[in-house]
Structure formats: C-alpha cells, structure tokens
Amino acid sequence: MINRLISPEVPAFGPHLLSVVDLSPEVLTGILDTAESFLEVGHQSVKKVPVLRGKTLLNLFYESSTRTRSSFEIAAKRLSADVINISTTQSSVTKGESLIDTVRTIEALGADGVVIRHPSSGAPAFVSSRVGCHVINGGDGCHQHPTQALLDLFTIRRKLGRIGGLTVAIIGDILHSRVARSNITTLSRMGARVRLVAPPTLLPRGIEDWPVEIFHSLEKGIEGCDVVMALRLQLERAAGGFIPSVAEYARLYGLNAPLLERVAPGALVMHPGPVNRGIEISGEEEFTESSAILSQVEFGVSVRMAVLYLLMGGGPEEVLAGGAVPDKGGKE
Amino acid sequence: MRDQETGCLFLKNVHYFDPSEGVLGYGNVLIREGRVESMGEVGPSGAVREIDGGGGLLCPGFVDLHAHFREPGYEYKETIATGSKAAVAGGFTAVCVMANTDPVNDNADVTRAIRERALDVGLARVYPIGAVTRGLGGEHLTEMGRLSEAGCIAFSDDGKPVSTSRMLRRALSYSRLFNRPVIDHCEDPELSDRGVMNEGSVSADLGLAGIPNASEEVCVARDLSVLEACGGRLHVAHLSTAGGVRMVREAKRRNLAVTAETCPHYFSLTDEAVRCHGTHAKMNPPLRRESDRLAVIEGLKDGTIDVIATDHAPHAPHEKEQEFDRAPFGIIGLETAFSLSLALVREGHLSLSELIYRLSFRPAALFGLPHGRLVPGGLADFVLLDLSGEWEAGRPGYYSKSRNSPFTGSLMKGKVLKTIVGGRVVFDGEGDVCG
C-alpha cells in the first residue's frame, strides 16, 4: 500500500489549496492518481494508514455543511491525523472574534492544517497569508470549492474512463456557485468542453473570457452531453429577484427522465449536493444507473485524503519511514 | 503660528508658477504677514528667515475638495491633527472635510468645533462640508443657512447619494440662497445591491458581488436632469465611469452648472488591483475597467473633470484586515495624490501647468476659496516640489493615522519638499511636520 502511494509522480503544489487556478493538468492528474490509490483504504477492514500520524487538522466551518465537513474528517482520520471540528455556532466566533484572531488562536494551538469553509469569497486566501500552517479551501463564498471540483473530476474519470474530449453541462445558479467556478477551470484544463446552462440573471457579467459555451435553454444545453451537472439552487434566490419563483425555475431548469433522453448514451448525472428534490432533479429513480451523486460522496473521501496527504504528508521518505518503522512515529 | 505670520520669510532660488494666470518665473519670493509681498528679482529685505528652494517648483498649495478626517467620532481612524499632517505632507494646504462624522456635521456646533480644532492644530486650512440632510438620514434638509454662516463651504451626504430625486431637487434649489454647491456621491444603491467591487471579469473570477457602472451612471443621469429642471450648483464626487464622464461632458456643453472631480486611484488602477491588494483596493465607487480608467483621463484632459480630489478615507487596520466583503470601503490618498497625478504629466496626458491648475486653483475656485494663486498680495500657501524626486509610499510610515493604501511600497516619482501655510513652513522635506 505505502509503496503504491509514493509511486504516482505528483508535481509539487501547495503549501495551500486555495483555488484550482494554479493547478496544472499534471498536478490534477497526480492528485487523481493519488486518490485512486487511497480508494482501496476505504475498502479495507481497518480503514487507516499512518501517513499523517501526529498531525492535527482543524475543520473550521463558518457555514453549515454536512458532507464536506464529514468528508474531510473521515479523510483525515483514515490518514491517522487528529481532527478538531469547529463550527461557528459553538465557538468564540459568535462572541464577535474576528477571523484573523480565530485563526491565530488556532495556529497557536498547534494545528498543522486548517480546512476553512467561509461565506466570504477570498477568506481562505486571506487566512493563508497570515498563518504558518497549511490552508485548504473547503468552499469560500461564490469563489472556489477546489476539493469538490477534484472529486467531480475523479468521479468522471472513474465512471467514463477519461475527461478529455467529453462535453459537460453545468446547470443552474452559476452566478453564486463556487462549485461551477472551480469545475469550469479543472474540466477545461483537462480537455473537456464546458457548457453553462442558466437564465441570464444567474450568470455573472464579465465571463466573455471563460472557456465555456453559454446556453439559456436546458434542452439545447444538455443535447449530446456526456455529463450533466446540476447545481444546488438556494431557495432564497427567488426572494432576491434572480428568478420569479422556484416553481418556474424547476419548470425551466429542472432535470428529469424525459429530458435526459437528449444526453449522450451512458452520460452521468451529477450534483454537488444536497439536492433539492423536485427542483434541480426530479424522478431520479427513473435514471438511477446514470446518477453519480452517491459516487461523488464516496470518492470525495479518497480525493480529500489525496489532497491532505500531498499537502501535509511531508513527502515519500517520511511516508516510507512511517510505514516501514512503525515505532518511529511514537517516539517523536 | 501667529508669530511667524507676522514675520517675514524669504524663499530664494525657486521656479514659481501661478496657475490662475499661467505665469511661470524664476527668482525669489518675499513673504510678509502670511502674504506674498513681492516675487522675482527681489532681495531679503527685513526677512527673519531665509530658505533656499534649490531650484524646485513653487506652486500654490493643493486644495482637496474631498477628504474624511473622521473627527468627531472616529478618532481611531484619523483625527483633524493626523489628517492635517497627512495633508501638508502631501502638499495640500487646504482640505474640505466630509460630514459623515459622529455626530454628523449637520449643525453649526459641529462645524465650529471642526474649524476650531483645525486652527489649534495649525497646519492645513480645513473647510467643513455640511450634510445635505439631518443625520445623513435623507429625510430633512439641514439648516444650510446656519451651517454656511458657521463655515460650511458646500453640502454633501457623501458616503451615500442624496436619498431621493425630490430631496436633491430641494437641496439644489435651497442651497442657491447661499451660492454653495451640492456634492453628490453618485450611486444607485439598488443597482449596487451589496456589491463590493466593480462588476466585470475580475468580480466574476473572484466570486465577489459586483457594482455595475450603471450604478454610478443612473445617479449621474438623475442628478443632471434634476439640476436642469431646478438650477443650483452640482458637484459630482469621485467620477469613475466612462458613462458618467460622458454625461457630465454633455451637460457642460449645454452649460449646466455642473462640475466634477475624480481621484488618483481611478486613473492609476483598475479592478485587477483587487486580485493582489485585497481590501486595500476596496473603495466606493470601485476601481473600474481599463476603458473607464482611460475615459477618466480623457475627462481630465478635456476639462470635463475639473479637479483631482483624494477621497482620503482612513480606516483602522483591524477594519481592513478582514474578509473582503466585510471590510469598509475607502483608502487614504492625501500623501500619494500628487505623485500619482504627476504620472499623467509624464505619460503626456496633461501638461504640468494643467495638473497644478486642477490640484489648486480650479478646486479653490469651485468652492469659492481664496487659494490656488501665487501672486503679490495673495495668501502665502505654497508647496515646493521636486518633480524628479523619488520615494517609496508608506515607508517608513504615513502621517495619516491609517495606512489603508494599495500604493504602500510603490515607487513614487515627484516629491513634496516643503509646504507653507500662511507664510509658515508646516512641512519640511525629509519627514518633518512642524506641528
């Protein structure tokens, strides 16, 4: 296992994962290959490897999240790291502590890495410029969600065998979506063609240079696609005037079985979750074989293990030493 | 201050420039009792102090129509004392300060307190701008008569636009009584809609809520229509968009009583700066696209934009060092304004005399201030400049109490050597404010 872990030649990246913008196709492939080798760990009876033994990872979540937070937690624990979860409802953040003070405090406690989920775009980058530990963006505002894009890449590659040459439609609230921003970059960098399908009110202005094709009609946008990725619609968008009503959105942009007859044979249906049933997707029971939504969750753990390992693992030698001489970690 | 004003100062070996008449000369300037006595080939008759200008350029002190000194109420950001130091260090001898203090400058007591404090400080001349509406609340006009008598030279709810077109109409009409301009911060809050930076490719990439150009343009259009309908004098603050410049240009062609200012950051930077400078590139209106930057320069060239103001807006480090969308809008500007503006001369957009005109005589004339001239009998408020001098912004620090500037660490060309107010040296070269 350990030997296989070191085998993928992953070009260096880090010390932080704030955005996918700086990740070359080689780094992306390296992360996916590493995730591939971690997939096995989840199928062992003892789901643990000692590569992050003695390291502490902090999950700092300023927004509610079930799957991302628990996915990072499981990933870190499978790598034998110690994990502390802090959510804003139970910390001094509710007492008015500033982000920078919270993070300094946490650093003083000795964390080796911090996963930050924050409603303000750019918050993880801000933190990374002021602390000494690794910072991993667990989703910031409408900006980036790097590990989601990586797990989406991984899911597509595993299910369809490749990424280059595929056509991927991303459907919904592109304007407010960090998932879309990260996915557009990673998918196009790996050679996929990306389509955005959304009403004009949910598309950002100033995207003329994005490597995408824009569709307002769902029917036309998903025609012949290999992957259709629906985004979660925040229900308050109707109150904000971006759409007249959730019902109209569902009628114009909701995926269902009859519509999915237009996609390419064997196409995947994806969603970053949690799904608003009956809005972004309805009648999923009619196309269970094409739905990759639960695989995304499962693969998310391996992908996050790969990211944590590559950023915090300290390189192959340390990993080898940790694996080959089990006592060493305990003595330090 | 008084002692030296009655004394006599002899400034020798300077090139002197008067933008009111466009006269350039070389020689000496004799100052007595705070005013220019004579200039040219004059001797130091009876002078108590002699200064060698080293062949530098002596101009009227700069006049800033738009600054925030934060006192009273926000002394942790800036005070009249620290703001005045920043002003004279940047070559500004007169500064108009906005009303969004706490309490708001919407009554004569606050106006008088600001003026008295500024006189105690004794550096730059400080002119209070009164609020248009009580408490900046947008509902009731302030007592503009009492405010004018107490020393307010213009009216503005800056920080926000005049609330409604009806309120703007009343303000423009009523302020005619006192021949004072209404300054509007042109923004449609509905279109800004909690935006935090310019709307465009950068905001799309960064996932930050955008403020469209239309937010400024809609308000400029409203203001010009109201001005045309009811008269008065309108001064458009911090113009940042191509559309805004175009509308002001057309309005001036039709002889509407409109004037406009822009700030150095709008012709020096674009929204790309947000990527590297973060919250220090966050201000309102926001840094715009390159095409807007060029349109602002075009506006300065053809006189559509009358003056360069700073919108000096200090904020404490703990306010700027936080999440981008939570940090307040605004940057400091008094100490870097001249050097940034001089780049327009180096790049061939403005002549040096036009630049000095737009920094001194023109702003003084707009608000009826007795400044911006270098003539016998005129006030001895000067700045002595080294046009090729280089310095690093914010190093070792700023005179302002705050340091929220995207230019910190940048190489600046064009240096203020000395600043003189009322015949007294208030800033002396290598980092000395004579407070």
Side-chain angles (χ1 to χ4, degrees):
Chain A
M1 176 64 218
I2 295 299
N3 284 327
R4 286 205 38 208
L5 268 183
I6 335 160
S7 60
E9 289 290 324
V10 185
F13 78 105
H16 311 295
L17 179 61
L18 304 173
S19 157
V20 296
V21 170
D22 300 325
L23 305 183
S24 65
E26 293 72 33
V27 169
L28 291 170
T29 304
I31 295 170
L32 300 193
D33 291 347
T34 308
E36 200 80 48
S37 62
F38 277 124
L39 207 51
E40 278 179 23
V41 177
H43 299 139
Q44 293 166 195
S45 59
V46 178
K47 299 182 175 58
K48 238 175 183 159
V49 286
V51 297
L52 291 187
R53 194 167 51 193
K55 308 250 178 182
T56 304
L57 181 75
L58 208 93
N59 273 328
L60 181 57
F61 276 61
Y62 285 79
E63 278 182 347
S64 60
S65 157
T66 306
R67 64 191 72 202
T68 303
R69 191 191 55 71
S70 48
S71 180
F72 268 111
E73 181 171 357
I74 292 168
K77 285 181 171 167
R78 283 188 184 167
L79 297 172
S80 310
D82 297 312
V83 181
I84 301 164
N85 292 310
I86 296 180
S87 66
T88 51
T89 48
Q90 60 192 37
S91 72
S92 53
V93 170
T94 48
K95 298 176 194 163
E97 185 173 62
S98 70
L99 175 60
I100 193 70
D101 284 337
T102 303
V103 173
R104 280 185 185 135
T105 305
I106 283 156
E107 198 192 16
L109 290 171
D112 300 288
V114 179
V115 178
I116 299 176
R117 154 78 53 105
H118 199 286
S120 296
S121 300
F126 168 80
V127 168
S128 73
S129 67
R130 284 158 175 82
V131 298
C133 63
H134 300 282
V135 176
I136 297 156
N137 184 354
D140 63 328
C142 308
H143 180 218
Q144 287 273 316
H145 196 344
T147 56
Q148 179 71 42
L150 291 169
L151 75 87
D152 288 341
L153 271 192
F154 186 80
T155 305
I156 294 169
R157 194 177 80 166
R158 250 198 95 92
K159 294 274 183 185
L160 300 180
R162 66 194 170 107
I163 298 161
L166 299 179
T167 302
V168 181
I170 304 176
I171 303 155
D173 187 359
I174 311 291
L175 177 63
H176 299 99
S177 177
R178 53 195 174 210
V179 175
R181 279 176 180 77
S182 289
N183 261 310
I184 289 163
T185 301
T186 50
L187 286 166
S188 60
R189 204 158 277 177
M190 295 300 285
R193 284 184 297 272
V194 180
R195 298 176 176 183
L196 303 182
V197 185
T201 47
L202 292 178
L203 283 167
R205 282 184 64 208
I207 58 173
E208 298 76 16
D209 294 336
W210 285 11
V212 296
E213 227 186 317
I214 296 188
F215 291 81
H216 297 308
S217 151
L218 180 62
E219 291 179 12
K220 290 186 184 137
I222 64 171
E223 189 81 50
C225 282
D226 302 292
V227 177
V228 289
M229 190 183 287
L231 300 172
R232 180 175 165 82
L233 181 81
Q234 301 296 331
L235 300 180
E236 66 266 21
R237 296 298 171 225
F242 292 98
I243 49 170
S245 70
V246 171
E248 172 141 316
Y249 177 86
R251 200 173 62 77
L252 292 175
Y253 294 96
L255 286 172
N256 53 46
L259 269 170
L260 287 171
E261 285 171 17
R262 298 169 170 272
V263 300
L268 298 181
V269 175
M270 298 173 70
H271 191 293
V275 179
N276 289 306
R277 302 274 166 205
I279 299 172
E280 298 108 39
I281 294 175
S282 33
E284 200 186 339
E285 57 284 354
E286 296 169 57
F287 50 89
T288 43
E289 69 287 354
S290 36
S291 170
I293 297 172
L294 285 175
S295 302
Q296 289 174 273
V297 178
E298 183 197 341
F299 296 154
V301 175
S302 307
V303 167
R304 290 183 174 110
M305 286 171 78
V307 165
L308 293 173
Y309 163 65
L310 292 169
L311 286 178
M312 297 169 61
E317 282 167 22
E318 190 174 322
V319 175
L320 250 188
V325 191
D327 287 347
K328 193 187 173 198
K331 282 179 190 164
E332 280 175 343
Chain B
M1 181 166 183
R2 304 274 180 261
D3 292 346
Q4 296 215 6
E5 274 185 0
T6 54
C8 192
L9 178 68
F10 184 63
L11 257 172
K12 67 174 186 186
N13 186 21
V14 293
H15 292 90
Y16 51 79
F17 177 67
D18 170 41
S20 70
E21 304 284 345
V23 174
L24 179 66
Y26 171 79
N28 310 324
V29 178
L30 186 64
I31 299 159
R32 196 184 299 277
E33 293 183 359
R35 290 185 179 269
V36 176
E37 186 167 282
S38 54
M39 44 207 256
E41 292 182 17
V42 296
S45 64
V48 287
R49 191 176 173 196
E50 189 174 302
I51 292 172
D52 187 341
L57 181 67
L58 189 75
C59 303
F62 304 140
V63 178
D64 188 8
L65 298 187
H66 191 149
H68 300 267
F69 276 3
R70 307 297 190 202
E71 184 177 348
Y74 305 99
E75 288 84 355
Y76 67 97
K77 299 174 193 253
E78 192 83 285
T79 63
I80 291 168
T82 57
S84 299
K85 282 182 188 175
V88 295
F92 288 88
T93 54
V95 180
C96 303
V97 295
M98 283 296 175
N100 60 343
T101 46
D102 182 19
V104 169
N105 182 20
D106 60 0
N107 67 82
D109 290 340
V110 175
T111 309
R112 279 191 291 264
I114 292 170
R115 291 187 65 202
E116 281 162 20
R117 181 74 194 115
L119 284 174
D120 285 346
V121 169
L123 295 170
R125 301 179 196 271
V126 174
Y127 294 96
I129 295 166
V132 171
T133 61
R134 276 184 242 163
L136 306 178
E139 293 191 0
H140 307 281
L141 278 187
T142 53
E143 294 177 339
M144 292 181 174
R146 288 167 65 97
L147 285 168
S148 300
E149 285 161 24
C152 286
I153 42 82
F155 298 98
S156 181
D157 278 354
D158 184 65
K160 35 187 166 176
V162 176
S163 58
T164 63
S165 20
R166 179 173 56 85
M167 187 54 67
L168 179 70
R169 175 184 180 174
R170 303 285 185 244
L172 282 168
S173 303
Y174 190 73
S175 59
R176 290 169 65 185
L177 266 175
F178 318 102
N179 193 26
R180 298 281 198 277
V182 171
I183 308 166
D184 202 13
H185 161 118
C186 287
E187 178 184 12
D188 179 345
E190 292 281 311
L191 279 173
S192 292
D193 191 23
R194 286 169 291 166
V196 293
M197 68 168 294
N198 182 50
E199 182 178 86
S201 56
V202 182
S203 66
D205 285 353
L206 298 182
L208 290 167
I211 301 173
N213 281 31
S215 175
E216 174 172 292
E217 291 157 3
V218 161
C219 194
V220 171
R222 173 196 81 164
D223 287 17
L224 292 172
S225 294
V226 173
L227 177 71
E228 185 159 24
C230 68
R233 284 172 57 200
L234 174 71
H235 179 72
V236 179
H238 43 53
L239 209 47
S240 70
T241 61
V245 173
R246 192 183 64 240
M247 284 185 276
V248 170
R249 181 179 291 127
E250 286 167 1
K252 285 188 161 188
R253 280 201 192 119
R254 289 186 290 120
N255 292 319
L256 294 190
V258 62
T259 56
E261 73 190 27
T262 192
C263 312
H265 38 280
Y266 300 119
F267 56 72
S268 304
L269 297 174
T270 66
D271 56 359
E272 290 288 338
V274 174
R275 293 188 200 266
C276 44
H277 296 293
T279 60
H280 284 178
K282 179 179 178 181
M283 70 287 287
N284 191 11
L287 297 171
R288 304 283 187 184
R289 284 169 304 178
E290 178 66 5
S291 53
D292 296 297
R293 189 183 77 85
L294 295 174
V296 165
I297 292 175
E298 209 50 49
L300 278 166
K301 284 168 80 167
D302 72 5
T304 299
I305 298 175
D306 299 81
V307 304
I308 296 168
T310 66
D311 196 3
H312 178 83
H315 291 293
H318 73 268
E319 295 171 306
K320 279 293 196 179
E321 299 224 339
Q322 54 176 338
E323 297 89 323
F324 192 92
D325 52 1
R326 293 189 188 190
F329 291 104
I331 63 170
I332 57 170
L334 283 163
E335 293 168 66
T336 50
F338 170 68
S339 301
L340 293 169
S341 302
L342 190 62
L344 295 175
V345 176
R346 276 200 308 277
E347 289 158 15
H349 299 300
L350 289 183
S351 68
L352 183 61
S353 57
E354 281 169 321
L355 176 67
I356 301 299
Y357 173 78
R358 297 192 189 291
L359 279 168
S360 58
F361 182 71
R362 186 63 181 157
L366 292 193
F367 285 10
L369 307 176
H371 304 306
R373 310 182 76 188
L374 204 165
V375 291
L379 282 173
D381 288 10
F382 306 132
V383 57
L384 182 66
L385 300 167
D386 172 3
L387 298 179
S388 51
E390 294 185 348
W391 59 290
E392 207 178 332
R395 304 280 190 258
Y398 289 106
Y399 288 97
S400 167
K401 201 166 194 175
S402 293
R403 48 189 161 89
N404 49 312
S405 167
F407 301 107
T408 303
S410 300
L411 184 71
M412 297 275 135
K413 286 184 184 172
K415 203 170 175 180
V416 174
L417 296 175
K418 290 188 198 316
T419 305
I420 296 165
V421 174
R424 175 171 167 258
V425 178
V426 290
F427 173 72
D428 195 356
E430 299 301 317
D432 253 349
V433 172
C434 317

